[in-house]
Amino acid sequence: TMVISSVVPSEELEVGDVIVFRPVSVGEKPIVHRIIEVRNTYPLTFKTQGDAYPEPDQWFVPEDNIIGKLEFSSPFLGYITNFFRSKIGLVITLVLPAVVLVLMILRYIWRELVKYIRNKPMSAS
């Protein structure tokens, strides 16, 4: 899934907003979940829950871990970007255009060569 988020001051986030945040455990990918509770502690913390999960997350997200508020999400665009990162996608986006370009140049050279041969004056023997 591809997501686009915007930076929003954590004081403006409220219950129902979908946020992108870094998990408390280091090294994991960012998580996109909905805020179900805001605790006005210092620092602010947010209880979250994934829309596809029946239970809330076991942790509170500190405001420093928030990357942004979700603005746009598209699973389809995520599939496309993952494809282009694969070996086949890399071949299609880099090698295939290069091969097409070389073939176009060879075709042009061939046409010019044929024109030259056809228009070459005959030498008298």
Side-chain angles (χ1 to χ4, degrees):
T1 301
M2 176 180 271
V3 298
I4 297 174
S5 64
S6 61
V7 177
V8 175
S10 47
E11 301 82 38
E12 294 180 16
L13 295 172
E14 52 192 32
V15 171
D17 288 342
V18 178
I19 58 171
V20 181
F21 61 93
R22 287 180 299 281
V24 176
S25 52
V26 178
E28 290 187 43
K29 293 181 179 180
I31 298 174
V32 179
H33 280 181
R34 188 174 306 278
I35 296 173
I36 60 169
E37 180 185 340
V38 178
R39 285 214 175 146
N40 290 319
T41 56
Y42 180 79
L44 282 173
T45 57
F46 302 88
K47 186 76 163 172
T48 56
Q49 179 176 347
D51 288 348
Y53 295 101
E55 299 292 323
D57 298 329
Q58 299 296 314
W59 60 83
F60 278 85
V61 179
E63 64 182 320
D64 291 342
N65 287 38
I66 295 177
I67 297 170
K69 180 179 172 181
L70 183 71
E71 297 295 333
F72 174 78
S73 171
S74 172
F76 179 71
L77 289 175
Y79 295 135
I80 291 172
T81 57
N82 284 340
F83 171 74
F84 285 122
R85 289 180 186 166
S86 70
K87 288 181 183 179
I88 291 175
L90 186 64
V91 166
I92 288 174
T93 56
L94 296 179
V95 176
L96 188 61
V99 169
V100 169
L101 183 62
V102 167
L103 290 175
M104 289 172 61
I105 291 169
L106 289 175
R107 181 176 169 220
Y108 174 77
I109 292 170
W110 179 257
R111 284 182 171 180
E112 292 300 312
L113 186 60
V114 168
K115 270 193 230 176
Y116 175 76
I117 292 171
R118 284 185 183 162
N119 296 329
K120 183 179 175 186
M122 293 282 193
S123 59
S125 323

